[in-house]
Amino acid sequence: MFNIYNMTKNKLEDFFLKNGEKKFKATQVYEWLYKKRVNSFDEMNNISKNTINLLKENFEFEKLKLLTCLSDIDVDKYLFELFDGNKIEAVLMHHDYGYSLCISTEVGCNMGCLFCESGRLKKVRNLNVSEMVLQILMVEEIKKVRISHIVLMGVGEPFDNYDNVIDFVNVINDPKGIDIGARHITISTCGLIPKIKEFTNFDKQVNLAISLHAPNNEIRNKIMPINKAYKIEELIKTIKAYLEKTKRRVTFEYIMLDGINDSDICAIELAELLKGMNAYVNLIPYNSTSNDSLFKKSKKENILKFYDILKKNNINVTIRREFGSKVMAACGQLRANYKEEE
Ligand code: SAH
């Protein structure tokens, strides 16, 4: 059966209309689910018995199972078990502006980026909407906090699960739902061009982040297999069209990998590539993974030099604060290291 947390408000309205009920019941149900956070249909006490029975006949009301939680200063990492036994991770970060949650969008990932732990497990399946929504609800319940920002940067490629991700955004952005502002939601992609084009026409002001990680095809081909399908020039062209249409800003993520993409020449090339775009670059210190034989974190002085070159060339740039290397907060690490308790 279908979990109730899969339903956008529009879909729930259609469900009620199709079953000869009034549309406003969807709003009532939403308030019970997301404002009052009940744990069963029976608690929805302003809804008639008949309607409750209709809901029970059509929907499940199931949460995720918490397997383990690891904490470090300002970061908590959660491992959840899904209904079918698969495991997913979510990472809660405490910033000065509030709590942000990094959620997973798939079980495993097919993108195969060499520096990323997630891809060691090939994609098993998409997460459905409820499994994404419940990561938020569960963490809020466990940690007893209100999460203000959501980033889709956990395990999985959000644009490889596009329709569910869009429904998920609609659920959590709904004023009668969790009500997280669109500008507080960031979708990160390794660059699936057809979906970036589709996203250009999405009517919400959700932030877009691009995992770029290299200034040219030669380097990008070596570390991100997706670049063989979608070349960097095409990617930049698509993002320029996105910026033109949406009048928004885009973030480029750039992992600093020692001796691979962190030279002065790379910085100059990157500045040239991004010239004139309404963009900013987020330099990310590499988080250690099981592929450490191939990759090392850039030296601090190289990161700072890279940063300076971009700045001098009028590129907006920040260096990402490091969270949770002690709790294996890089995508996929917790699942990879979790051993079943006996
Ligand atoms: N598939 C999406 C979202 C998941 S990855 C994407 O590619 O954007 C989220 C971010 O974490 C990406 O920028 C990714 O490149 C980065 N990342 C992956 N492995 C990392 C590591 N070992 N250290 C630091 N950042 C990493």
Side-chain angles (χ1 to χ4, degrees), residues 16 21-22 24-25 28-29 32 41-42 44-56:
F16 279 124
E21 300 246 14
K22 295 272 188 319
F24 75 87
K25 298 217 166 153
Q28 289 184 320
V29 171
W32 284 110
F41 291 117
D42 290 321
M44 303 180 174
N45 63 21
N46 64 350
I47 297 176
S48 73
K49 264 264 143 347
N50 283 347
T51 309
I52 296 288
N53 285 338
L54 179 69
L55 286 166
K56 283 183 179 171

Side-chain angles (χ1 to χ4, degrees), residues 59-75:
F59 300 107
E60 275 171 352
F61 205 125
E62 245 194 283
K63 301 255 176 115
L64 308 176
K65 182 173 156 202
L66 176 69
L67 290 178
T68 183
C69 171
L70 295 180
S71 300
D72 198 346
I73 302 162
D74 289 345
V75 54

